[in-house]
Amino acid sequence: MVGKADLHMHSTASDGGYGAETLMEMCAEAGLSLISLTDHDTTAGVEKARKSAESLNIQLINGIELSTRSEGQSVDILGYGIDVESAHLQKTLSFHRQMREERMERMVRKCRDYGLEVTVEDVKAEVTGHTYSRPHLAKALIKKGYGEKVSDIFDQYIGYGKPCYVVKEKEMTPPEAVKLIHEAGGIAVAAHPIYYDLDDHILDWFINEGLDGIEVYHRDHDEQAVNRFSALAEKAEAKLGHRVFKTGGSDFHHEAYGREGEKLGITKLPYGEAEYLLTFLQNKEKR
């Protein structure tokens, strides 16, 4: 029987709703056999996830999702097979988590200026890991009665371009994130490209910056988007003369976030693509 894979999910180490061990149990219940935990700007949940995954006979790939900015847009870069003990990686992550905290303070001020009664302490109460993220603010606002679902809060107040949105002051560029992931022994993948209109830039990152793959099968990619980014991957392969990684996943945080398709076990990612990534990383370790 062919397994099921999901290479994009979050735990309470960043902005997910479940601890790493519980999340692994949920993955097992959902019939997933190959996964990656990709928390935002932290690897704090990876080792806990690994131990739990091993006990459940799930293959886990070390992962992370790095925040970057390009052409005025937030762009996330996924890293797979990274060495979570890399000193340079951890030092860089610590800096960017500090940037997230400062940004959150500014977003809270914007919320208050907009008439939303919320404090930094309210948000801190929602933070279960090391990383401040907008879903934490969304949960605090829900508790104050400003919406019912995280998606409602994003749509009205804190999504990109909304009245309480704030850009992080200092962010890596995608090429800097690719370099950081490579230095930590991993491979770099452009996350959910449907969120940006940067196809030409992504192709350039493949050709000139060492980008290794693209998330073709994200939960928010309909058939048209899958075809679009499959074609982009093929264009990169033609230019590079070798295969690139085509990944995907549920981008799972929590059922209460109200995002269509955000459910463990419902995956668009062909198992062969995930297996190709795993085999590549395993062979890389043997070299």
Side-chain angles (χ1 to χ4, degrees), residues 61 121 182 274 279:
I61 295 171
E121 291 305 313
H182 286 170
T279 302

Side-chain angles (χ1 to χ4, degrees), residues 63-248:
I64 195 163
E65 188 170 13
L66 297 177
S67 306
T68 79
R69 182 159 290 274
S70 178
E71 302 298 312
Q73 296 185 61
S74 292
V75 175
D76 291 330
I77 303 293
L78 292 156
Y80 294 110
I82 51 171
D83 173 11
V84 297
E85 310 225 334
S86 162
H88 179 52
L89 173 67
Q90 293 302 336
K91 183 178 179 181
T92 306
L93 294 180
S94 179
F95 171 78
H96 286 283
R97 287 196 297 270
Q98 179 62 34
M99 291 299 100
R100 279 178 170 273
E101 188 168 345
E102 291 176 12
R103 175 215 201 181
M104 186 57 66
E105 290 170 357
R106 285 182 286 143
M107 285 190 76
V108 167
R109 285 199 295 272
K110 266 202 154 186
C111 284
R112 293 180 66 81
D113 290 343
Y114 197 69
L116 305 176
E117 292 300 319
V118 67
T119 67
V120 171
E121 291 305 313
D122 293 329
V123 179
K124 281 183 181 177
E126 303 299 328
V127 179
T128 50
H130 297 82
T131 307
Y132 280 77
S133 293
R134 284 179 291 162
H136 297 129
L137 174 56
K139 290 179 188 177
L141 289 169
I142 287 168
K143 285 187 176 175
K144 296 287 184 177
Y146 294 112
E148 294 183 0
K149 295 185 296 189
V150 169
S151 56
D152 295 339
I153 301 297
F154 269 71
D155 290 343
Q156 292 180 63
Y157 305 117
I158 64 173
Y160 182 73
K162 300 302 178 181
C164 303
Y165 179 83
V166 171
V167 174
K168 295 187 198 81
E169 211 162 83
K170 295 177 184 175
E171 285 189 276
M172 285 183 280
T173 64
E176 287 170 342
V178 170
K179 184 180 179 185
L180 180 65
I181 289 165
H182 286 170
E183 287 172 349
I187 68 153
V189 172
H192 37 58
I194 196 68
Y195 292 0
Y196 348 108
D197 189 19
L198 295 173
D199 294 27
D200 289 343
H201 289 78
I202 291 171
L203 185 60
D204 179 68
W205 301 335
F206 270 119
I207 297 165
N208 297 311
E209 306 294 348
L211 184 70
D212 302 295
I214 183 170
E215 190 175 38
V216 172
Y217 303 99
H218 186 264
R219 64 144 199 265
D220 288 339
H221 290 186
D222 59 17
E223 186 179 353
Q224 184 179 4
V226 168
N227 291 337
R228 169 184 167 187
F229 298 121
S230 292
L232 182 57
E234 288 165 10
K235 193 181 288 188
E237 288 172 338
K239 294 277 189 182
L240 295 167
H242 62 76
R243 183 172 173 179
V244 304
F245 298 96
K246 295 180 275 292
T247 70

Side-chain angles (χ1 to χ4, degrees), residues 8-19 23 37-42 65 67 76 100 103-104 126-139 150 154 158 192 219 251-255 257 259 262:
H8 193 162
M9 62 184 70
H10 302 273
S11 75
T12 51
S14 65
D15 58 345
Y18 298 96
L23 185 60
L37 178 63
T38 53
D39 279 315
H40 297 283
D41 298 334
T42 180
E65 188 170 13
S67 306
D76 291 330
R100 279 178 170 273
R103 175 215 201 181
M104 186 57 66
E126 303 299 328
V127 179
T128 50
H130 297 82
T131 307
Y132 280 77
S133 293
R134 284 179 291 162
H136 297 129
L137 174 56
K139 290 179 188 177
V150 169
F154 269 71
I158 64 173
H192 37 58
R219 64 144 199 265
D251 202 351
F252 181 78
H253 293 73
H254 192 280
E255 300 90 344
Y257 282 24
R259 293 166 176 154
E262 184 171 346

